[in-house]
Amino acid sequence: MGSAVLLALVPPAVAPKPTKLVKVWETDTTLRIPESVLYDGKNTLYVSNIDGKPDGLDGSGFISKVSLDGKIENLRWTSGLNAPKGMGIYKKRLYVTDMYRLVCINTENGQAEKTWDGVGKEAFLNDVTITSDGTVYVSDNRNDKIYRLKDDKLEVWMEGEQLNKPNGLLAVGKNKLMIGSTKIGALQMVDVETKTITKVADGMAATDGIVAEGKSAFFVSDWNGQLFHVNADGTKEQLLDTRSNKINSADIDYVSKKKLLIVPTFYKNSLVAYRVE
């Protein structure tokens, strides 16, 4: 009898409220195949524009600057790139992939200061992430490689089929690296010290961008047009599905102070911002 009374006093478990995305703004369509967006931590979104074939060595790619309310402030802030994709910022330097190269651009004047080559012209460098101490990691999703730029040297840090075509990267602290493995549609975690890989979640098709929400949750994009919220325990929730409208979701970013999730639409030539509720 006593236990029954106690049970009656325990409130029923309340399921967590589903996350919802509410569209806030969309840029005009003067962008040209926007692949990646990166928030600078202040007032600017950098956008990499392929402007050609995704593997073209044509020099037509460029970086745009967009305000947090969706205004394109400088369409061709810096140009002459080759199908630029992932980006990372560290101490007024913007690192961007340029097909088989990594390019470092001075954010104060938009000038390229230095480049580092991957292994051979067949390298297909994709995403960039940077740790708090300035170590740069770069994915090569065609060749199952992750490069590391450290002490001014770009070298293959990890390689092999176990990476399953790594695309999106996200450094978590100094010792964890999140990877979007497109071959198996999974979010994986690599221990930087041991290079041990742990699968966090799968079933997300062509995993592309990865951004953190707080300390233990992530937003993950599927290039085909889906967005997911993934918890540390691997549970996930689909937040957006624009596949039927043929709107892609490429390499995303998250402006936590405004709870804005920014999505490059690739072939639709725009950025779309959603408020996370």
Side-chain angles (χ1 to χ4, degrees), residues 170-220:
L170 177 67
V172 179
K174 295 180 181 179
N175 298 315
K176 291 181 181 178
L177 193 64
M178 309 304 295
I179 301 175
S181 295
T182 58
K183 186 176 180 180
I184 57 174
L187 177 64
Q188 303 200 98
M189 181 178 68
V190 178
D191 183 298
V192 172
E193 299 294 329
T194 64
K195 296 185 180 179
T196 302
I197 297 179
T198 304
K199 185 188 292 182
V200 177
D202 57 14
M204 293 178 286
T207 46
D208 197 329
I210 308 165
V211 289
E213 186 205 24
K215 294 183 178 180
S216 59
F218 305 93
F219 295 109
V220 179

mmCIF file of all heavy atoms in Angstrom, residues 170-220:
data_model
loop_
_atom_site.group_PDB
_atom_site.id
_atom_site.type_symbol
_atom_site.label_atom_id
_atom_site.label_comp_id
_atom_site.label_asym_id
_atom_site.label_seq_id
_atom_site.Cartn_x
_atom_site.Cartn_y
_atom_site.Cartn_z
ATOM 1 N N LEU A 170 34.331 18.657 -36.946
ATOM 2 C CA LEU A 170 34.141 19.596 -35.846
ATOM 3 C C LEU A 170 35.045 19.198 -34.693
ATOM 4 O O LEU A 170 34.921 18.100 -34.150
ATOM 5 C CB LEU A 170 32.686 19.608 -35.377
ATOM 6 C CG LEU A 170 32.394 20.507 -34.168
ATOM 7 C CD1 LEU A 170 32.573 21.980 -34.523
ATOM 8 C CD2 LEU A 170 30.994 20.261 -33.614
ATOM 9 N N ALA A 171 35.955 20.096 -34.339
ATOM 10 C CA ALA A 171 36.815 19.859 -33.182
ATOM 11 C C ALA A 171 36.028 20.157 -31.913
ATOM 12 O O ALA A 171 35.409 21.210 -31.785
ATOM 13 C CB ALA A 171 38.059 20.746 -33.248
ATOM 14 N N VAL A 172 36.052 19.215 -30.972
ATOM 15 C CA VAL A 172 35.411 19.392 -29.666
ATOM 16 C C VAL A 172 36.527 19.384 -28.638
ATOM 17 O O VAL A 172 37.087 18.338 -28.321
ATOM 18 C CB VAL A 172 34.379 18.281 -29.392
ATOM 19 C CG1 VAL A 172 33.746 18.476 -28.027
ATOM 20 C CG2 VAL A 172 33.310 18.256 -30.477
ATOM 21 N N GLY A 173 36.878 20.565 -28.142
ATOM 22 C CA GLY A 173 38.046 20.662 -27.279
ATOM 23 C C GLY A 173 39.301 20.357 -28.093
ATOM 24 O O GLY A 173 39.341 20.533 -29.308
ATOM 25 N N LYS A 174 40.330 19.862 -27.413
ATOM 26 C CA LYS A 174 41.580 19.538 -28.097
ATOM 27 C C LYS A 174 41.685 18.051 -28.432
ATOM 28 O O LYS A 174 42.539 17.647 -29.229
ATOM 29 C CB LYS A 174 42.784 19.937 -27.228
ATOM 30 C CG LYS A 174 42.918 21.428 -26.988
ATOM 31 C CD LYS A 174 44.131 21.721 -26.125
ATOM 32 C CE LYS A 174 44.256 23.216 -25.847
ATOM 33 N NZ LYS A 174 45.428 23.535 -24.989
ATOM 34 N N ASN A 175 40.826 17.242 -27.836
ATOM 35 C CA ASN A 175 41.040 15.800 -27.927
ATOM 36 C C ASN A 175 39.946 15.002 -28.620
ATOM 37 O O ASN A 175 40.023 13.771 -28.679
ATOM 38 C CB ASN A 175 41.263 15.226 -26.522
ATOM 39 C CG ASN A 175 42.485 15.805 -25.852
ATOM 40 O OD1 ASN A 175 43.542 15.910 -26.468
ATOM 41 N ND2 ASN A 175 42.356 16.205 -24.596
ATOM 42 N N LYS A 176 38.925 15.686 -29.131
ATOM 43 C CA LYS A 176 37.872 14.962 -29.839
ATOM 44 C C LYS A 176 37.597 15.629 -31.175
ATOM 45 O O LYS A 176 37.598 16.856 -31.287
ATOM 46 C CB LYS A 176 36.581 14.915 -29.010
ATOM 47 C CG LYS A 176 36.690 14.041 -27.764
ATOM 48 C CD LYS A 176 35.373 14.016 -27.001
ATOM 49 C CE LYS A 176 35.494 13.161 -25.732
ATOM 50 N NZ LYS A 176 34.234 13.167 -24.950
ATOM 51 N N LEU A 177 37.364 14.796 -32.168
ATOM 52 C CA LEU A 177 37.064 15.276 -33.499
ATOM 53 C C LEU A 177 35.814 14.570 -33.994
ATOM 54 O O LEU A 177 35.772 13.343 -34.056
ATOM 55 C CB LEU A 177 38.245 14.982 -34.431
ATOM 56 C CG LEU A 177 38.274 15.659 -35.798
ATOM 57 C CD1 LEU A 177 38.395 17.169 -35.629
ATOM 58 C CD2 LEU A 177 39.442 15.135 -36.631
ATOM 59 N N MET A 178 34.783 15.353 -34.301
ATOM 60 C CA MET A 178 33.557 14.791 -34.849
ATOM 61 C C MET A 178 33.678 14.746 -36.365
ATOM 62 O O MET A 178 34.166 15.697 -36.986
ATOM 63 C CB MET A 178 32.342 15.626 -34.448
ATOM 64 C CG MET A 178 32.221 15.924 -32.958
ATOM 65 S SD MET A 178 32.202 14.455 -31.902
ATOM 66 C CE MET A 178 30.666 13.664 -32.423
ATOM 67 N N ILE A 179 33.215 13.637 -36.952
ATOM 68 C CA ILE A 179 33.327 13.438 -38.396
ATOM 69 C C ILE A 179 31.969 13.055 -38.964
ATOM 70 O O ILE A 179 31.285 12.178 -38.416
ATOM 71 C CB ILE A 179 34.323 12.311 -38.730
ATOM 72 C CG1 ILE A 179 35.711 12.606 -38.178
ATOM 73 C CG2 ILE A 179 34.399 12.083 -40.242
ATOM 74 C CD1 ILE A 179 36.688 11.460 -38.379
ATOM 75 N N GLY A 180 31.594 13.678 -40.059
ATOM 76 C CA GLY A 180 30.423 13.241 -40.807
ATOM 77 C C GLY A 180 30.890 12.304 -41.907
ATOM 78 O O GLY A 180 31.534 12.738 -42.862
ATOM 79 N N SER A 181 30.599 11.012 -41.768
ATOM 80 C CA SER A 181 31.050 10.003 -42.729
ATOM 81 C C SER A 181 29.945 9.766 -43.752
ATOM 82 O O SER A 181 28.949 9.093 -43.468
ATOM 83 C CB SER A 181 31.408 8.704 -42.001
ATOM 84 O OG SER A 181 32.514 8.898 -41.140
ATOM 85 N N THR A 182 30.124 10.317 -44.959
ATOM 86 C CA THR A 182 29.049 10.294 -45.935
ATOM 87 C C THR A 182 28.744 8.893 -46.467
ATOM 88 O O THR A 182 27.608 8.604 -46.845
ATOM 89 C CB THR A 182 29.362 11.213 -47.134
ATOM 90 O OG1 THR A 182 30.596 10.800 -47.737
ATOM 91 C CG2 THR A 182 29.493 12.646 -46.688
ATOM 92 N N LYS A 183 29.725 8.020 -46.486
ATOM 93 C CA LYS A 183 29.508 6.684 -47.047
ATOM 94 C C LYS A 183 28.471 5.898 -46.252
ATOM 95 O O LYS A 183 27.692 5.120 -46.806
ATOM 96 C CB LYS A 183 30.820 5.907 -47.112
ATOM 97 C CG LYS A 183 30.701 4.561 -47.805
ATOM 98 C CD LYS A 183 32.048 3.875 -47.916
ATOM 99 C CE LYS A 183 31.919 2.530 -48.621
ATOM 100 N NZ LYS A 183 33.246 1.855 -48.734
ATOM 101 N N ILE A 184 28.446 6.116 -44.937
ATOM 102 C CA ILE A 184 27.520 5.372 -44.084
ATOM 103 C C ILE A 184 26.495 6.279 -43.401
ATOM 104 O O ILE A 184 25.735 5.827 -42.551
ATOM 105 C CB ILE A 184 28.282 4.542 -43.022
ATOM 106 C CG1 ILE A 184 29.184 5.441 -42.165
ATOM 107 C CG2 ILE A 184 29.092 3.442 -43.678
ATOM 108 C CD1 ILE A 184 29.850 4.720 -40.999
ATOM 109 N N GLY A 185 26.466 7.552 -43.779
ATOM 110 C CA GLY A 185 25.478 8.474 -43.221
ATOM 111 C C GLY A 185 25.557 8.616 -41.721
ATOM 112 O O GLY A 185 24.527 8.696 -41.040
ATOM 113 N N ALA A 186 26.775 8.674 -41.196
ATOM 114 C CA ALA A 186 26.946 8.622 -39.739
ATOM 115 C C ALA A 186 27.726 9.816 -39.201
ATOM 116 O O ALA A 186 28.551 10.423 -39.888
ATOM 117 C CB ALA A 186 27.664 7.341 -39.346
ATOM 118 N N LEU A 187 27.446 10.129 -37.939
ATOM 119 C CA LEU A 187 28.264 11.047 -37.156
ATOM 120 C C LEU A 187 29.173 10.185 -36.303
ATOM 121 O O LEU A 187 28.694 9.342 -35.530
ATOM 122 C CB LEU A 187 27.381 11.933 -36.270
ATOM 123 C CG LEU A 187 28.117 12.893 -35.334
ATOM 124 C CD1 LEU A 187 28.912 13.934 -36.125
ATOM 125 C CD2 LEU A 187 27.134 13.579 -34.390
ATOM 126 N N GLN A 188 30.486 10.367 -36.464
ATOM 127 C CA GLN A 188 31.449 9.572 -35.710
ATOM 128 C C GLN A 188 32.344 10.493 -34.883
ATOM 129 O O GLN A 188 32.518 11.661 -35.209
ATOM 130 C CB GLN A 188 32.299 8.720 -36.654
ATOM 131 C CG GLN A 188 31.474 7.793 -37.547
ATOM 132 C CD GLN A 188 32.288 6.639 -38.102
ATOM 133 O OE1 GLN A 188 32.260 5.533 -37.568
ATOM 134 N NE2 GLN A 188 33.019 6.882 -39.182
ATOM 135 N N MET A 189 32.920 9.910 -33.837
ATOM 136 C CA MET A 189 33.823 10.667 -32.975
ATOM 137 C C MET A 189 35.190 9.992 -32.951
ATOM 138 O O MET A 189 35.288 8.780 -32.791
ATOM 139 C CB MET A 189 33.272 10.742 -31.550
ATOM 140 C CG MET A 189 34.149 11.545 -30.596
ATOM 141 S SD MET A 189 33.407 11.659 -28.938
ATOM 142 C CE MET A 189 33.525 9.941 -28.405
ATOM 143 N N VAL A 190 36.234 10.782 -33.117
ATOM 144 C CA VAL A 190 37.603 10.276 -33.072
ATOM 145 C C VAL A 190 38.298 10.828 -31.842
ATOM 146 O O VAL A 190 38.274 12.034 -31.595
ATOM 147 C CB VAL A 190 38.399 10.681 -34.331
ATOM 148 C CG1 VAL A 190 39.833 10.174 -34.241
ATOM 149 C CG2 VAL A 190 37.741 10.137 -35.582
ATOM 150 N N ASP A 191 38.908 9.938 -31.081
ATOM 151 C CA ASP A 191 39.768 10.354 -29.984
ATOM 152 C C ASP A 191 41.111 10.747 -30.595
ATOM 153 O O ASP A 191 41.783 9.921 -31.217
ATOM 154 C CB ASP A 191 39.950 9.201 -28.988
ATOM 155 C CG ASP A 191 40.777 9.609 -27.781
ATOM 156 O OD1 ASP A 191 41.959 9.977 -27.962
ATOM 157 O OD2 ASP A 191 40.268 9.548 -26.654
ATOM 158 N N VAL A 192 41.491 12.009 -30.462
ATOM 159 C CA VAL A 192 42.698 12.516 -31.111
ATOM 160 C C VAL A 192 43.955 11.821 -30.612
ATOM 161 O O VAL A 192 44.904 11.600 -31.367
ATOM 162 C CB VAL A 192 42.803 14.044 -30.916
ATOM 163 C CG1 VAL A 192 44.137 14.578 -31.393
ATOM 164 C CG2 VAL A 192 41.658 14.743 -31.656
ATOM 165 N N GLU A 193 43.973 11.432 -29.335
ATOM 166 C CA GLU A 193 45.160 10.794 -28.773
ATOM 167 C C GLU A 193 45.344 9.376 -29.302
ATOM 168 O O GLU A 193 46.444 8.973 -29.688
ATOM 169 C CB GLU A 193 45.075 10.766 -27.236
ATOM 170 C CG GLU A 193 44.987 12.137 -26.590
ATOM 171 C CD GLU A 193 46.252 12.958 -26.781
ATOM 172 O OE1 GLU A 193 47.345 12.360 -26.853
ATOM 173 O OE2 GLU A 193 46.138 14.193 -26.879
ATOM 174 N N THR A 194 44.266 8.606 -29.337
ATOM 175 C CA THR A 194 44.371 7.190 -29.704
ATOM 176 C C THR A 194 43.918 6.905 -31.135
ATOM 177 O O THR A 194 44.140 5.806 -31.641
ATOM 178 C CB THR A 194 43.518 6.331 -28.758
ATOM 179 O OG1 THR A 194 42.126 6.688 -28.928
ATOM 180 C CG2 THR A 194 43.911 6.572 -27.304
ATOM 181 N N LYS A 195 43.257 7.861 -31.767
ATOM 182 C CA LYS A 195 42.665 7.713 -33.101
ATOM 183 C C LYS A 195 41.605 6.609 -33.141
ATOM 184 O O LYS A 195 41.347 6.014 -34.181
ATOM 185 C CB LYS A 195 43.746 7.469 -34.153
ATOM 186 C CG LYS A 195 44.703 8.648 -34.309
ATOM 187 C CD LYS A 195 45.690 8.444 -35.441
ATOM 188 C CE LYS A 195 46.625 9.636 -35.554
ATOM 189 N NZ LYS A 195 47.625 9.455 -36.638
ATOM 190 N N THR A 196 41.005 6.372 -31.995
ATOM 191 C CA THR A 196 39.904 5.418 -31.910
ATOM 192 C C THR A 196 38.622 6.077 -32.404
ATOM 193 O O THR A 196 38.312 7.211 -32.040
ATOM 194 C CB THR A 196 39.706 4.953 -30.456
ATOM 195 O OG1 THR A 196 40.928 4.380 -29.986
ATOM 196 C CG2 THR A 196 38.594 3.922 -30.365
ATOM 197 N N ILE A 197 37.864 5.347 -33.238
ATOM 198 C CA ILE A 197 36.623 5.888 -33.796
ATOM 199 C C ILE A 197 35.417 5.262 -33.109
ATOM 200 O O ILE A 197 35.345 4.044 -32.953
ATOM 201 C CB ILE A 197 36.537 5.620 -35.309
ATOM 202 C CG1 ILE A 197 37.675 6.334 -36.048
ATOM 203 C CG2 ILE A 197 35.191 6.088 -35.870
ATOM 204 C CD1 ILE A 197 37.673 6.094 -37.540
ATOM 205 N N THR A 198 34.479 6.106 -32.706
ATOM 206 C CA THR A 198 33.228 5.652 -32.108
ATOM 207 C C THR A 198 32.066 6.225 -32.906
ATOM 208 O O THR A 198 32.020 7.434 -33.159
ATOM 209 C CB THR A 198 33.103 6.130 -30.647
ATOM 210 O OG1 THR A 198 34.246 5.691 -29.913
ATOM 211 C CG2 THR A 198 31.838 5.582 -30.002
ATOM 212 N N LYS A 199 31.143 5.369 -33.319
ATOM 213 C CA LYS A 199 29.968 5.860 -34.034
ATOM 214 C C LYS A 199 28.974 6.428 -33.027
ATOM 215 O O LYS A 199 28.615 5.781 -32.058
ATOM 216 C CB LYS A 199 29.306 4.739 -34.838
ATOM 217 C CG LYS A 199 28.134 5.223 -35.699
ATOM 218 C CD LYS A 199 27.387 4.061 -36.331
ATOM 219 C CE LYS A 199 28.224 3.351 -37.364
ATOM 220 N NZ LYS A 199 27.482 2.246 -38.034
ATOM 221 N N VAL A 200 28.530 7.667 -33.267
ATOM 222 C CA VAL A 200 27.587 8.332 -32.381
ATOM 223 C C VAL A 200 26.152 8.126 -32.862
ATOM 224 O O VAL A 200 25.253 7.803 -32.093
ATOM 225 C CB VAL A 200 27.903 9.845 -32.276
ATOM 226 C CG1 VAL A 200 26.879 10.553 -31.397
ATOM 227 C CG2 VAL A 200 29.308 10.050 -31.726
ATOM 228 N N ALA A 201 25.922 8.335 -34.163
ATOM 229 C CA ALA A 201 24.583 8.183 -34.739
ATOM 230 C C ALA A 201 24.723 7.919 -36.226
ATOM 231 O O ALA A 201 25.704 8.329 -36.848
ATOM 232 C CB ALA A 201 23.738 9.433 -34.499
ATOM 233 N N ASP A 202 23.735 7.229 -36.795
ATOM 234 C CA ASP A 202 23.764 7.000 -38.235
ATOM 235 C C ASP A 202 22.371 7.223 -38.820
ATOM 236 O O ASP A 202 21.495 7.780 -38.169
ATOM 237 C CB ASP A 202 24.303 5.607 -38.563
ATOM 238 C CG ASP A 202 23.522 4.486 -37.910
ATOM 239 O OD1 ASP A 202 22.409 4.742 -37.406
ATOM 240 O OD2 ASP A 202 24.019 3.344 -37.896
ATOM 241 N N GLY A 203 22.190 6.813 -40.079
ATOM 242 C CA GLY A 203 20.894 7.016 -40.729
ATOM 243 C C GLY A 203 20.660 8.432 -41.201
ATOM 244 O O GLY A 203 19.519 8.891 -41.281
ATOM 245 N N MET A 204 21.747 9.157 -41.549
ATOM 246 C CA MET A 204 21.606 10.560 -41.940
ATOM 247 C C MET A 204 22.083 10.827 -43.363
ATOM 248 O O MET A 204 22.426 11.960 -43.704
ATOM 249 C CB MET A 204 22.347 11.449 -40.934
ATOM 250 C CG MET A 204 21.709 11.438 -39.554
ATOM 251 S SD MET A 204 22.575 12.437 -38.330
ATOM 252 C CE MET A 204 24.002 11.399 -38.010
ATOM 253 N N ALA A 205 22.132 9.795 -44.194
ATOM 254 C CA ALA A 205 22.451 9.923 -45.622
ATOM 255 C C ALA A 205 23.795 10.615 -45.840
ATOM 256 O O ALA A 205 24.785 10.244 -45.205
ATOM 257 C CB ALA A 205 21.317 10.608 -46.361
ATOM 258 N N ALA A 206 23.852 11.616 -46.709
ATOM 259 C CA ALA A 206 25.127 12.255 -47.070
ATOM 260 C C ALA A 206 25.489 13.332 -46.054
ATOM 261 O O ALA A 206 25.338 14.532 -46.305
ATOM 262 C CB ALA A 206 25.049 12.852 -48.471
ATOM 263 N N THR A 207 25.952 12.890 -44.892
ATOM 264 C CA THR A 207 26.295 13.822 -43.815
ATOM 265 C C THR A 207 27.287 14.871 -44.306
ATOM 266 O O THR A 207 28.277 14.559 -44.941
ATOM 267 C CB THR A 207 26.889 13.069 -42.616
ATOM 268 O OG1 THR A 207 27.859 12.131 -43.101
ATOM 269 C CG2 THR A 207 25.819 12.312 -41.864
ATOM 270 N N ASP A 208 26.999 16.123 -43.983
ATOM 271 C CA ASP A 208 27.820 17.220 -44.469
ATOM 272 C C ASP A 208 28.307 18.075 -43.300
ATOM 273 O O ASP A 208 29.325 17.805 -42.704
ATOM 274 C CB ASP A 208 27.025 18.042 -45.485
ATOM 275 C CG ASP A 208 27.902 18.930 -46.346
ATOM 276 O OD1 ASP A 208 28.948 19.372 -45.865
ATOM 277 O OD2 ASP A 208 27.533 19.197 -47.502
ATOM 278 N N GLY A 209 27.552 19.119 -42.935
ATOM 279 C CA GLY A 209 28.002 20.012 -41.874
ATOM 280 C C GLY A 209 27.699 19.500 -40.480
ATOM 281 O O GLY A 209 26.704 18.817 -40.263
ATOM 282 N N ILE A 210 28.577 19.836 -39.523
ATOM 283 C CA ILE A 210 28.392 19.492 -38.108
ATOM 284 C C ILE A 210 28.661 20.740 -37.284
ATOM 285 O O ILE A 210 29.719 21.360 -37.426
ATOM 286 C CB ILE A 210 29.369 18.398 -37.644
ATOM 287 C CG1 ILE A 210 29.335 17.183 -38.573
ATOM 288 C CG2 ILE A 210 29.067 17.974 -36.204
ATOM 289 C CD1 ILE A 210 30.521 16.254 -38.357
ATOM 290 N N VAL A 211 27.722 21.123 -36.423
ATOM 291 C CA VAL A 211 27.954 22.226 -35.491
ATOM 292 C C VAL A 211 27.442 21.820 -34.116
ATOM 293 O O VAL A 211 26.525 21.014 -33.994
ATOM 294 C CB VAL A 211 27.257 23.532 -35.952
ATOM 295 C CG1 VAL A 211 27.962 24.107 -37.161
ATOM 296 C CG2 VAL A 211 25.795 23.300 -36.259
ATOM 297 N N ALA A 212 28.046 22.393 -33.105
ATOM 298 C CA ALA A 212 27.675 22.036 -31.734
ATOM 299 C C ALA A 212 26.509 22.881 -31.244
ATOM 300 O O ALA A 212 26.386 24.062 -31.581
ATOM 301 C CB ALA A 212 28.874 22.232 -30.814
ATOM 302 N N GLU A 213 25.665 22.237 -30.448
ATOM 303 C CA GLU A 213 24.662 22.971 -29.684
ATOM 304 C C GLU A 213 24.966 22.683 -28.224
ATOM 305 O O GLU A 213 24.702 21.587 -27.729
ATOM 306 C CB GLU A 213 23.239 22.528 -30.019
ATOM 307 C CG GLU A 213 22.222 23.418 -29.323
ATOM 308 C CD GLU A 213 20.871 22.748 -29.101
ATOM 309 O OE1 GLU A 213 20.802 21.518 -29.061
ATOM 310 O OE2 GLU A 213 19.895 23.483 -28.940
ATOM 311 N N GLY A 214 25.555 23.637 -27.553
ATOM 312 C CA GLY A 214 25.972 23.391 -26.180
ATOM 313 C C GLY A 214 27.173 22.459 -26.134
ATOM 314 O O GLY A 214 27.989 22.417 -27.058
ATOM 315 N N LYS A 215 27.255 21.671 -25.057
ATOM 316 C CA LYS A 215 28.437 20.831 -24.844
ATOM 317 C C LYS A 215 28.278 19.393 -25.317
ATOM 318 O O LYS A 215 29.271 18.680 -25.457
ATOM 319 C CB LYS A 215 28.806 20.838 -23.361
ATOM 320 C CG LYS A 215 29.264 22.197 -22.845
ATOM 321 C CD LYS A 215 29.682 22.116 -21.389
ATOM 322 C CE LYS A 215 30.186 23.466 -20.892
ATOM 323 N NZ LYS A 215 30.599 23.423 -19.468
ATOM 324 N N SER A 216 27.049 18.959 -25.544
ATOM 325 C CA SER A 216 26.903 17.534 -25.834
ATOM 326 C C SER A 216 25.919 17.202 -26.958
ATOM 327 O O SER A 216 25.621 16.037 -27.184
ATOM 328 C CB SER A 216 26.464 16.795 -24.567
ATOM 329 O OG SER A 216 25.240 17.319 -24.079
ATOM 330 N N ALA A 217 25.428 18.206 -27.654
ATOM 331 C CA ALA A 217 24.481 17.952 -28.743
ATOM 332 C C ALA A 217 24.984 18.623 -30.015
ATOM 333 O O ALA A 217 25.811 19.545 -29.970
ATOM 334 C CB ALA A 217 23.087 18.461 -28.386
ATOM 335 N N PHE A 218 24.484 18.144 -31.146
ATOM 336 C CA PHE A 218 24.977 18.626 -32.435
ATOM 337 C C PHE A 218 23.835 18.790 -33.431
ATOM 338 O O PHE A 218 22.827 18.099 -33.358
ATOM 339 C CB PHE A 218 25.996 17.630 -33.017
ATOM 340 C CG PHE A 218 27.126 17.327 -32.100
ATOM 341 C CD1 PHE A 218 27.068 16.234 -31.238
ATOM 342 C CD2 PHE A 218 28.257 18.129 -32.068
ATOM 343 C CE1 PHE A 218 28.102 15.951 -30.368
ATOM 344 C CE2 PHE A 218 29.305 17.855 -31.197
ATOM 345 C CZ PHE A 218 29.224 16.771 -30.339
ATOM 346 N N PHE A 219 24.040 19.717 -34.360
ATOM 347 C CA PHE A 219 23.206 19.789 -35.548
ATOM 348 C C PHE A 219 24.029 19.195 -36.687
ATOM 349 O O PHE A 219 25.217 19.528 -36.843
ATOM 350 C CB PHE A 219 22.829 21.238 -35.885
ATOM 351 C CG PHE A 219 21.973 21.902 -34.852
ATOM 352 C CD1 PHE A 219 22.478 22.908 -34.043
ATOM 353 C CD2 PHE A 219 20.636 21.529 -34.697
ATOM 354 C CE1 PHE A 219 21.687 23.532 -33.090
ATOM 355 C CE2 PHE A 219 19.825 22.145 -33.738
ATOM 356 C CZ PHE A 219 20.361 23.147 -32.938
ATOM 357 N N VAL A 220 23.401 18.345 -37.479
ATOM 358 C CA VAL A 220 24.093 17.683 -38.586
ATOM 359 C C VAL A 220 23.239 17.843 -39.841
ATOM 360 O O VAL A 220 22.021 17.631 -39.804
ATOM 361 C CB VAL A 220 24.317 16.185 -38.301
ATOM 362 C CG1 VAL A 220 25.021 15.504 -39.477
ATOM 363 C CG2 VAL A 220 25.139 15.998 -37.021
#
